[in-house]
Amino acid sequence: MSDSIKYLLDEKDIPKHWYNIAADLPEPPAAVLHPGTMQPVGPDDLAPLFPMAIIMQEVSTEREIEIPEPVRDIYRQWRPSPLFRARRLEKALDTPAKIYYKYEGVSPAGSHKPNTAIPQAFYNKEEGVKRITTETGAGQWGSSLALAGNFFGLEIEVFMVKVSFNQKPYRKAFMESFGARCVASPSDETESGRAVLAKDPDSNGSLGIAISEAVELAVQRDDTKYALGSVLNHVLTHQTVIGLEAMKQMELAGDSPDIIVGCTGGGSNFAGIAFPFIGEKFRGGKAMEIIAVEPAACPTLTRGNYAYDFGDIGHLTPLVKMHTLGSTFVPPGFHAGGLRYHGMAPLVSQLAHLGEIKPRAYHQTECFEAGVTFAKAEGILPAPEANHAVKGALDEALKCKKEGKGKTILFNLCGHGHFDMMAYSDYFAGKLVDMDYDESELAMALAGLPSVAAE
Ligand SMILES: Cc1ncc(COP(=O)(O)O)c(C=O)c1O
């Protein structure tokens, strides 16, 4: 097996449990607060938005959460996903490093997002929900929930951030193929959307705006709930199938990672690959360098405050403690739409705050350059979001070359870029510019953070 390219598992090797890192954290996560009372929220506060099974997972401290059989059954459509050894890339870079990548682009939507869309749709269906509303950035999450809604007979309404809606018109048709409805956000269908349009009719939109629109619709009808594609604990837990499979596959390869790299938007694919390994370290296993890569134009972990904030611009969500650029911050319209979020998963934020994760930020053109180098060697064209992880892995491999060290690097290639060809066209035409956020807008957004006593 020493010169294998792919490390494959059988369908029976799909994990039977997700891994919940809350069981192994050195200190308990900060409470989620009700913005009215500033007291910790209870299950009843969240019930208008989520089914009870999901709320219980959100607050669970059990290390293992059973994956329901109907979910494992659908996972079999694309799981276990392959682990590749990037031998051609290693050669192209002339590095002594060993590079492995877990490839989530094999899912029907083209990314890791169905790993949580399927269970979220399953639990909603079990509790009699008829309709789910959601936001989407890159379109990957909306596509995944559309797919999941189709499998479980649920109506799906998606608010897609306007700049991505315009960059990727075929995502709407993809969602419609599965019977979902997709609207550009900000829209005139909700109060939150109309409020943004009144101030800025040309608004690019943001995940924070689209979340407000989706939440607003969900709470209006008893048969409707809301689903989030990242950030929350249960979403990160569902994504750990990635890392749990990767652990078995690294064993097959007779190797173990020294460095793990993932890109971070809301933090779920990063958590998916990294949390099972971090958990093993917490339980006395090997220490690794864990690198979270984000866009320099939306630098939540590297530039944000670690503070309580809202998850959306309309302040309809509870307050969570996370790295944040401020809920009113609207990032520039760069191409990695899935990474344009002002906040970060509280669990990822806590681990960064504890120094367990090293965050790093890159500009978009250097990420596209890395993505094209990767594609030429490996034959897979990554999504613009995934290019951030590729760039992080490439830089680590080149550092190994400089230092003459043969470290083992594992990264999550969380999606393919087949819906992102306009971005690649712009890159090849030299039209892609490195956007910077507006410093004064950031200062204003941070100044507007809610004040929470005894943080
Ligand atoms: C391909 C891809 N990667 C990464 C992300 C970022 O999300 P997260 O940080 O939750 O993985 C997205 C979000 O839409 C995405 O589409």
Side-chain angles (χ1 to χ4, degrees):
M1 292 298 274
S2 63
D3 62 351
S4 291
I5 296 270
K6 290 195 298 302
Y7 297 91
L8 301 174
L9 298 172
D10 199 80
E11 283 178 16
K12 69 176 166 28
D13 299 318
I14 294 172
K16 293 198 165 60
H17 297 88
W18 293 297
Y19 167 65
N20 178 13
I21 202 166
D24 291 318
L25 288 174
E27 52 194 58
V32 174
L33 302 181
H34 189 291
T37 62
M38 291 296 177
Q39 294 303 308
V41 295
D44 289 347
D45 296 315
L46 297 173
L49 292 181
F50 303 107
M52 205 40 79
I54 286 202
I55 295 171
M56 295 328 281
Q57 285 183 8
E58 190 59 22
V59 296
S60 170
T61 51
E62 293 291 312
R63 183 172 292 128
E64 291 192 327
I65 294 179
E66 193 176 342
I67 306 179
E69 259 323 300
V71 171
R72 280 186 87 236
D73 192 43
I74 295 179
Y75 274 177
R76 289 192 301 152
Q77 209 71 28
W78 71 97
R79 304 213 71 81
S81 67
L83 177 83
F84 285 86
R85 169 89 185 264
R87 293 186 190 273
R88 289 189 178 80
L89 180 65
E90 290 168 17
K91 216 168 176 179
L93 299 176
D94 189 25
T95 174
K98 288 184 273 180
I99 308 173
Y100 294 85
Y101 59 95
K102 180 79 167 152
Y103 184 41
E104 291 296 311
V106 292
S107 87
S111 77
H112 61 296
K113 296 286 181 185
N115 296 334
T116 182
I118 300 295
Q120 290 199 50
F122 167 79
Y123 292 120
N124 273 287
K125 181 71 180 181
E126 286 272 286
E127 295 186 27
V129 173
K130 300 274 182 280
R131 171 177 173 250
I132 304 180
T133 60
T134 197
E135 73 295 326
T136 193
Q140 286 275 10
W141 166 243
S143 300
S144 304
L145 198 65
L147 183 85
N150 163 70
F151 281 139
F152 289 104
L154 294 162
E155 223 180 291
I156 305 294
E157 291 236 3
V158 182
F159 289 90
M160 182 164 180
V161 176
K162 199 194 282 165
V163 64
S164 299
F165 186 91
N166 293 335
Q167 286 163 344
K168 281 174 265 200
Y170 299 129
R171 275 287 171 196
K172 179 176 192 259
F174 186 99
M175 292 178 228
E176 285 172 346
S177 308
F178 294 99
R181 184 165 174 264
C182 173
V183 181
S185 167
S187 77
D188 60 7
E189 298 192 7
T190 64
E191 264 180 45
S192 316
R194 287 190 292 271
V196 175
L197 289 173
K199 270 197 216 151
D200 178 8
D202 299 321
S203 168
N204 269 333
S206 71
L207 280 166
I209 295 169
I211 291 172
S212 289
E213 295 207 84
V215 168
E216 188 182 318
L217 277 200
V219 296
Q220 284 170 4
R221 264 170 54 176
D222 286 346
D223 67 350
T224 304
K225 301 263 186 229
Y226 164 73
L228 188 60
S230 190
V231 180
L232 296 178
N233 302 352
H234 66 274
V235 183
L236 275 55
T237 297
H238 296 161
Q239 292 295 352
T240 58
V241 286
I242 303 171
L244 292 167
E245 286 178 7
M247 279 178 147
K248 284 193 193 167
Q249 289 163 308
M250 290 301 298
E251 259 176 50
L252 276 184
D255 224 332
S256 88
D258 302 304
I259 301 169
I260 296 180
V261 187
C263 68
T264 46
S268 74
N269 93 85
F270 170 80
I273 189 86
F275 279 11
F277 288 94
I278 299 177
E280 202 169 68
K281 187 207 132 182
F282 283 150
R283 298 191 303 276
K286 177 178 167 182
M288 287 148 288
E289 206 174 330
I290 314 275
I291 301 170
V293 186
E294 61 183 9
C298 185
T300 317
L301 281 169
T302 51
R303 182 74 176 74
N305 288 6
Y306 183 48
Y308 272 100
D309 198 8
F310 291 95
D312 70 320
I313 196 167
H315 297 180
L316 302 176
T317 69
L319 292 166
V320 294
K321 192 163 183 191
M322 61 179 176
H323 283 85
T324 176
L325 298 167
S327 61
T328 57
F329 178 77
V330 179
F334 56 87
H335 274 287
L339 308 184
R340 289 180 70 247
Y341 186 53
H342 71 273
M344 183 55 60
L347 286 170
V348 172
S349 296
Q350 185 180 354
L351 289 164
H353 184 66
L354 291 171
E356 298 289 340
I357 291 170
K358 294 202 173 105
R360 181 184 292 181
Y362 290 120
H363 282 291
Q364 65 175 352
T365 49
E366 55 187 343
C367 293
F368 273 87
E369 189 186 347
V372 171
T373 302
F374 176 85
K376 282 180 171 163
E378 297 292 313
I380 300 172
L381 197 68
E385 293 81 7
N387 279 343
H388 289 71
V390 173
K391 170 69 178 158
L394 251 65
D395 276 5
E396 288 306 308
L398 293 172
K399 189 168 154 214
C400 284
K401 178 176 174 177
K402 205 164 149 196
E403 295 173 353
K405 288 185 182 157
K407 290 188 183 173
T408 298
I409 301 166
L410 167 65
F411 76 93
N412 194 24
L413 190 66
C414 50
H416 66 65
H418 298 179
F419 283 85
D420 301 278
M421 300 318 295
M422 205 191 288
Y424 277 95
S425 296
D426 283 354
Y427 171 69
F428 292 124
K431 287 198 276 185
L432 214 64
V433 288
D434 285 337
M435 297 174 173
D436 275 315
Y437 55 86
D438 183 332
E439 280 287 354
S440 60
E441 200 199 316
L442 175 60
M444 228 158 61
L446 286 174
L449 284 177
S451 58
V452 176
E455 259 184 59

Coordinates of all heavy atoms in Angstrom, one line a residue, residues 80-129:
P80 N -18.3 6.4 2.6 CA -17.2 7.2 3.1 C -16.5 8.0 1.9 O -16.4 7.4 0.8 CB -16.2 6.2 3.7 CG -16.9 5.0 3.9 CD -18.0 5.0 2.9
S81 N -16.1 9.2 2.1 CA -15.5 10.0 1.1 C -14.0 9.6 1.0 O -13.4 9.1 2.0 CB -15.6 11.5 1.3 OG -14.9 11.8 2.5
P82 N -13.4 9.7 -0.1 CA -12.0 9.3 -0.2 C -11.0 10.1 0.5 O -11.2 11.4 0.6 CB -11.7 9.3 -1.8 CG -12.7 10.3 -2.3 CD -13.9 10.3 -1.4
L83 N -9.9 9.5 1.0 CA -8.7 10.3 1.4 C -7.7 10.1 0.3 O -7.4 8.9 -0.1 CB -8.2 9.7 2.8 CG -6.9 10.4 3.3 CD1 -7.3 11.7 4.0 CD2 -6.1 9.5 4.2
F84 N -7.1 11.2 -0.2 CA -6.1 11.1 -1.2 C -4.7 11.4 -0.6 O -4.6 12.3 0.3 CB -6.3 12.1 -2.3 CG -7.4 11.8 -3.2 CD1 -8.8 12.1 -2.9 CD2 -7.2 11.2 -4.4 CE1 -9.8 11.8 -3.8 CE2 -8.2 10.9 -5.3 CZ -9.5 11.2 -5.0
R85 N -3.7 10.7 -1.1 CA -2.3 11.2 -0.9 C -1.9 12.0 -2.1 O -2.0 11.5 -3.2 CB -1.4 10.0 -0.7 CG 0.1 10.3 -0.7 CD 0.7 10.7 0.6 NE 2.1 11.1 0.5 CZ 3.1 10.3 0.7 NH1 2.9 9.0 1.0 NH2 4.3 10.7 0.5
A86 N -1.6 13.3 -1.9 CA -1.3 14.2 -3.0 C 0.1 14.0 -3.6 O 0.9 14.9 -3.5 CB -1.6 15.6 -2.6
R87 N 0.3 12.8 -4.1 CA 1.7 12.5 -4.6 C 2.2 13.4 -5.7 O 3.3 13.8 -5.7 CB 1.8 11.0 -5.0 CG 1.6 10.1 -3.8 CD 1.9 8.6 -4.2 NE 1.4 7.7 -3.1 CZ 2.2 7.4 -2.0 NH1 3.4 7.8 -2.0 NH2 1.7 6.6 -1.1
R88 N 1.2 13.7 -6.6 CA 1.7 14.5 -7.8 C 1.9 16.0 -7.3 O 2.8 16.6 -7.8 CB 0.6 14.5 -8.8 CG 0.5 13.3 -9.6 CD -0.4 13.3 -10.8 NE -0.4 12.0 -11.5 CZ -1.1 11.0 -11.1 NH1 -1.9 11.1 -10.0 NH2 -1.1 9.9 -11.7
L89 N 1.2 16.4 -6.3 CA 1.4 17.8 -5.8 C 2.7 17.8 -5.0 O 3.5 18.8 -5.2 CB 0.2 18.2 -4.8 CG 0.3 19.5 -4.2 CD1 0.2 20.6 -5.3 CD2 -0.8 19.7 -3.2
E90 N 3.0 16.8 -4.2 CA 4.3 16.7 -3.5 C 5.4 16.9 -4.5 O 6.4 17.6 -4.2 CB 4.4 15.4 -2.7 CG 3.4 15.3 -1.5 CD 3.4 13.9 -1.0 OE1 4.3 13.0 -1.3 OE2 2.4 13.6 -0.2
K91 N 5.3 16.1 -5.6 CA 6.4 16.1 -6.6 C 6.5 17.5 -7.3 O 7.6 18.0 -7.4 CB 6.0 15.1 -7.7 CG 7.2 14.4 -8.3 CD 6.7 13.2 -9.1 CE 7.8 12.5 -9.8 NZ 7.3 11.4 -10.6
A92 N 5.3 18.1 -7.6 CA 5.3 19.4 -8.2 C 6.0 20.5 -7.3 O 6.7 21.4 -7.8 CB 3.9 19.8 -8.6
L93 N 5.8 20.3 -6.0 CA 6.3 21.3 -5.1 C 7.7 20.9 -4.7 O 8.4 21.7 -4.0 CB 5.5 21.4 -3.8 CG 4.0 21.8 -3.9 CD1 3.3 21.7 -2.6 CD2 3.9 23.2 -4.5
D94 N 8.1 19.7 -5.0 CA 9.4 19.1 -4.6 C 9.7 19.3 -3.1 O 10.7 19.8 -2.6 CB 10.6 19.9 -5.4 CG 11.9 19.2 -5.2 OD1 11.9 18.0 -4.9 OD2 12.9 20.0 -5.3
T95 N 8.6 18.8 -2.4 CA 8.7 18.9 -0.9 C 8.9 17.6 -0.2 O 8.4 16.6 -0.7 CB 7.4 19.6 -0.4 OG1 7.4 19.6 1.1 CG2 6.1 18.8 -0.8
P96 N 9.6 17.5 0.9 CA 9.7 16.3 1.6 C 8.5 16.0 2.4 O 8.3 14.9 3.0 CB 10.9 16.5 2.5 CG 11.0 18.0 2.7 CD 10.5 18.6 1.4
A97 N 7.5 17.0 2.5 CA 6.3 16.8 3.3 C 5.4 15.8 2.6 O 5.4 15.6 1.4 CB 5.5 18.1 3.4
K98 N 4.6 15.1 3.4 CA 3.6 14.2 2.9 C 2.3 14.9 3.0 O 1.9 15.4 4.1 CB 3.6 12.9 3.7 CG 4.8 12.0 3.4 CD 4.7 10.6 4.1 CE 5.2 10.8 5.5 NZ 5.2 9.5 6.2
I99 N 1.6 15.0 1.9 CA 0.3 15.8 1.9 C -0.9 14.8 1.6 O -0.9 14.1 0.6 CB 0.3 16.9 0.8 CG1 1.5 17.7 0.9 CG2 -1.0 17.7 0.9 CD1 1.7 18.8 -0.2
Y100 N -1.9 14.8 2.5 CA -3.1 14.1 2.4 C -4.3 15.0 2.3 O -4.2 16.1 3.0 CB -3.3 13.1 3.5 CG -2.3 12.0 3.7 CD1 -1.1 12.2 4.3 CD2 -2.6 10.7 3.2 CE1 -0.2 11.2 4.5 CE2 -1.6 9.7 3.3 CZ -0.4 9.9 4.0 OH 0.5 8.9 4.1
Y101 N -5.3 14.7 1.5 CA -6.5 15.5 1.6 C -7.8 14.6 1.6 O -7.8 13.6 0.9 CB -6.6 16.6 0.5 CG -6.5 16.1 -0.9 CD1 -7.7 15.9 -1.6 CD2 -5.3 15.9 -1.5 CE1 -7.7 15.5 -2.9 CE2 -5.3 15.4 -2.8 CZ -6.5 15.2 -3.5 OH -6.4 14.8 -4.9
K102 N -8.7 15.0 2.5 CA -10.0 14.3 2.5 C -10.9 15.1 1.5 O -11.0 16.3 1.6 CB -10.5 14.4 3.9 CG -11.8 13.8 4.2 CD -11.8 12.3 4.3 CE -13.1 11.7 4.9 NZ -13.3 10.3 4.5
Y103 N -11.5 14.4 0.6 CA -12.3 15.1 -0.5 C -13.8 15.0 -0.3 O -14.4 13.9 -0.5 CB -11.8 14.5 -1.8 CG -12.5 15.3 -3.0 CD1 -12.6 16.7 -2.9 CD2 -13.0 14.6 -4.1 CE1 -13.2 17.4 -3.9 CE2 -13.6 15.3 -5.1 CZ -13.7 16.7 -5.0 OH -14.3 17.4 -6.0
E104 N -14.4 16.1 0.1 CA -15.8 16.1 0.4 C -16.6 16.6 -0.9 O -17.9 16.6 -0.9 CB -16.2 17.1 1.5 CG -15.7 16.5 2.9 CD -16.4 15.2 3.3 OE1 -17.7 15.2 3.2 OE2 -15.8 14.2 3.6
G105 N -15.9 16.9 -2.0 CA -16.6 17.3 -3.2 C -17.3 16.2 -3.9 O -18.1 16.4 -4.9
V106 N -17.2 15.0 -3.4 CA -17.9 13.8 -4.0 C -19.4 13.7 -3.6 O -20.1 12.9 -4.1 CB -17.2 12.5 -3.6 CG1 -15.9 12.3 -4.2 CG2 -17.1 12.3 -2.1
S107 N -19.8 14.6 -2.7 CA -21.2 14.6 -2.2 C -22.1 15.1 -3.4 O -21.6 15.8 -4.3 CB -21.4 15.5 -1.0 OG -21.7 16.8 -1.4
P108 N -23.4 14.8 -3.4 CA -24.3 15.3 -4.5 C -24.3 16.8 -4.6 O -24.5 17.3 -5.8 CB -25.7 14.8 -4.1 CG -25.4 13.7 -3.1 CD -24.1 14.0 -2.4
A109 N -24.1 17.6 -3.6 CA -24.1 19.0 -3.7 C -22.8 19.6 -4.0 O -22.6 20.7 -4.4 CB -24.7 19.6 -2.4
G110 N -21.7 18.7 -3.9 CA -20.4 19.1 -4.2 C -19.6 19.6 -3.0 O -18.5 20.2 -3.2
S111 N -20.0 19.4 -1.8 CA -19.3 19.8 -0.6 C -19.6 19.0 0.6 O -20.5 18.1 0.5 CB -19.5 21.3 -0.3 OG -20.8 21.5 0.3
H112 N -19.1 19.5 1.8 CA -19.4 18.8 3.0 C -20.8 19.1 3.6 O -21.2 18.4 4.5 CB -18.4 19.3 4.1 CG -18.4 20.8 4.3 ND1 -18.1 21.7 3.3 CD2 -18.8 21.5 5.4 CE1 -18.3 22.9 3.8 NE2 -18.7 22.8 5.1
K113 N -21.5 20.0 3.0 CA -22.7 20.5 3.6 C -23.8 19.4 3.8 O -24.6 19.5 4.8 CB -23.3 21.7 2.9 CG -22.3 23.0 3.0 CD -22.4 23.6 4.3 CE -21.5 24.9 4.4 NZ -21.4 25.5 5.7
P114 N -24.0 18.5 2.8 CA -25.0 17.5 3.1 C -24.8 16.6 4.3 O -25.8 16.0 4.8 CB -24.9 16.6 1.8 CG -24.3 17.4 0.8 CD -23.3 18.3 1.5
N115 N -23.6 16.6 4.9 CA -23.3 15.8 6.1 C -24.2 16.2 7.2 O -24.6 15.5 8.1 CB -21.9 15.9 6.6 CG -20.9 15.3 5.6 OD1 -21.2 14.5 4.8 ND2 -19.7 15.8 5.6
T116 N -24.6 17.5 7.3 CA -25.5 18.0 8.3 C -26.9 18.3 7.8 O -27.9 18.2 8.5 CB -24.9 19.3 9.0 OG1 -25.8 19.7 10.0 CG2 -24.7 20.4 8.0
A117 N -27.0 18.6 6.5 CA -28.4 18.8 5.9 C -29.3 17.6 6.0 O -30.4 17.7 6.4 CB -28.3 19.2 4.4
I118 N -28.7 16.4 5.8 CA -29.5 15.1 5.9 C -30.0 14.9 7.3 O -31.2 14.8 7.5 CB -28.6 13.9 5.4 CG1 -28.2 14.1 3.9 CG2 -29.4 12.6 5.5 CD1 -29.3 14.2 2.9
P119 N -29.1 14.9 8.3 CA -29.7 14.7 9.7 C -30.6 15.9 10.1 O -31.7 15.6 10.8 CB -28.5 14.7 10.6 CG -27.3 15.1 9.8 CD -27.7 14.9 8.4
Q120 N -30.4 17.1 9.7 CA -31.3 18.2 10.1 C -32.7 18.0 9.5 O -33.7 18.1 10.2 CB -30.7 19.6 9.7 CG -29.5 19.9 10.6 CD -29.2 21.4 10.5 OE1 -30.0 22.2 10.7 NE2 -27.9 21.8 10.3
A121 N -32.7 17.6 8.2 CA -34.0 17.3 7.6 C -34.7 16.1 8.3 O -35.9 16.1 8.6 CB -33.8 17.1 6.1
F122 N -33.9 15.1 8.6 CA -34.4 13.9 9.2 C -35.1 14.2 10.6 O -36.3 13.9 10.8 CB -33.3 12.9 9.5 CG -33.7 11.8 10.4 CD1 -34.5 10.7 9.9 CD2 -33.3 11.8 11.7 CE1 -34.8 9.7 10.8 CE2 -33.7 10.7 12.6 CZ -34.4 9.7 12.1
Y123 N -34.4 15.0 11.4 CA -35.0 15.3 12.8 C -36.2 16.2 12.6 O -37.2 16.1 13.4 CB -33.9 16.0 13.7 CG -32.8 15.1 14.1 CD1 -31.5 15.4 13.7 CD2 -33.0 13.9 14.8 CE1 -30.4 14.5 14.1 CE2 -32.0 13.1 15.1 CZ -30.7 13.4 14.8 OH -29.7 12.6 15.1
N124 N -36.2 17.1 11.7 CA -37.4 18.0 11.5 C -38.6 17.1 11.0 O -39.7 17.3 11.5 CB -37.1 19.0 10.4 CG -36.5 20.3 11.0 OD1 -37.2 21.1 11.7 ND2 -35.2 20.5 10.8
K125 N -38.4 16.2 10.1 CA -39.4 15.4 9.6 C -40.0 14.5 10.7 O -41.2 14.4 10.9 CB -38.9 14.5 8.5 CG -39.9 13.5 7.9 CD -40.9 14.3 7.0 CE -41.9 13.4 6.4 NZ -42.8 14.1 5.5
E126 N -39.1 14.0 11.6 CA -39.5 13.1 12.7 C -40.5 13.9 13.6 O -41.3 13.3 14.2 CB -38.3 12.7 13.5 CG -37.4 11.7 12.9 CD -37.8 10.3 13.3 OE1 -37.6 9.9 14.4 OE2 -38.5 9.6 12.4
E127 N -40.3 15.2 13.7 CA -41.1 16.0 14.6 C -42.3 16.7 13.9 O -42.8 17.7 14.5 CB -40.2 16.9 15.5 CG -39.3 16.1 16.4 CD -38.4 17.0 17.3 OE1 -38.8 18.1 17.7 OE2 -37.3 16.5 17.7
G128 N -42.6 16.3 12.7 CA -43.8 16.8 12.0 C -43.6 18.1 11.3 O -44.6 18.7 10.9
V129 N -42.4 18.6 11.2 CA -42.2 19.9 10.5 C -42.5 19.7 9.0 O -42.2 18.7 8.4 CB -40.8 20.4 10.7 CG1 -40.5 21.6 9.9 CG2 -40.5 20.6 12.2

